[in-house]
Amino acid sequence: MEFLLEGFQEGLRRALTGDPGVWRAAGVTLEVSLWATLLASLAGLPAGYLLAAARFPGRGLAQGLLQSLLGLPTVVIGLLVYGLISRRGPLGGMDLLFSPPAIVIGLSVLAFPIAAVYGMAAVAAVDARARETALTLGASPPRAAWAVVREARFGMAAAVLGAFGRVASEVGIAMMLGGNIEGHTRTLTTAIALESMKGEFGFGIALGTVLMAVVVAVSFLARIFQRP
């Protein structure tokens, strides 16, 4: 127990005194997580809306496939993206491997089904009469859809936050596609893994404390968009 307390105290000291390694990793984490969440939300939320509100052949199959992607192992995502952007892959000429954009691609794939499935659930929970009422009152189909989205905004915000929390805490994809290069692709999670293996428990605690602070801060900021 004393070992844990000493490590926690050392971690807090290093985090509060502005340890460069901590804050560089925090900056990379925030950058790649926000970009991945944005891209996944831009694709996932509309997909979730369509699967919840539209009626078309194969809709049930599409919903089932999308939900199954929630269980896709992160190591599989990392391997697939690695194969695409490696030197021998179809996108190898873009020189993306071991760069922040490579991490963003992998994390976006991870976050897409989260945003889509929970966005779909949020729209499905809205009373079906909301869209019908809007159309009856003369609203165009896009405005009627926007009315449904407004009703589902709390659930959609939760979907975005869930996607952000998942990508911010991911280590495998960031390690495989970013290479854990200090000051360039090292995120808080990959730094925690590295420093813990080196026996730097205090540094690991500092990194974990900052990671939690980042996620909590983003969650509170997102509440602005949940206001009526």
Side-chain angles (χ1 to χ4, degrees), residues 2-98:
E2 184 177 351
F3 171 70
L4 292 175
L5 290 174
E6 290 178 355
F8 186 71
Q9 291 172 354
E10 172 66 10
L12 285 179
R13 184 190 67 78
R14 298 181 71 166
L16 295 175
T17 55
D19 187 294
V22 174
W23 295 109
R24 280 197 297 267
V28 175
T29 299
L30 193 58
E31 178 187 0
V32 298
S33 298
L34 288 175
W35 273 111
T37 303
L38 175 63
L39 294 176
S41 299
L42 289 176
L45 293 180
Y49 177 88
L50 289 175
L51 288 174
R55 297 293 183 269
F56 54 88
R59 173 171 171 264
L61 177 61
Q63 289 176 334
L65 290 174
L66 184 63
Q67 290 171 334
S68 67
L69 290 178
L70 289 173
L72 187 65
T74 57
V75 66
V76 174
I77 296 174
L79 284 173
L80 289 175
V81 177
Y82 186 97
L84 287 173
I85 65 177
S86 65
R87 293 287 185 180
R88 293 178 294 177
L91 302 179
M94 300 179 68
D95 198 24
L96 293 172
L97 192 59
F98 303 140

Side-chain angles (χ1 to χ4, degrees), residues 169-216:
S169 60
E170 173 57 28
V171 60
I173 291 174
M175 187 79 75
M176 293 177 67
L177 301 178
N180 200 22
I181 304 170
E182 185 175 4
H184 182 53
T185 60
R186 180 169 295 175
T187 64
L188 287 170
T189 53
T190 57
I192 290 170
L194 176 66
E195 299 300 330
S196 298
M197 288 188 292
K198 288 165 53 179
E200 292 286 345
F201 186 73
F203 198 7
I205 289 290
L207 294 164
T209 303
V210 174
L211 177 59
M212 293 173 60
V214 168
V215 173
V216 170

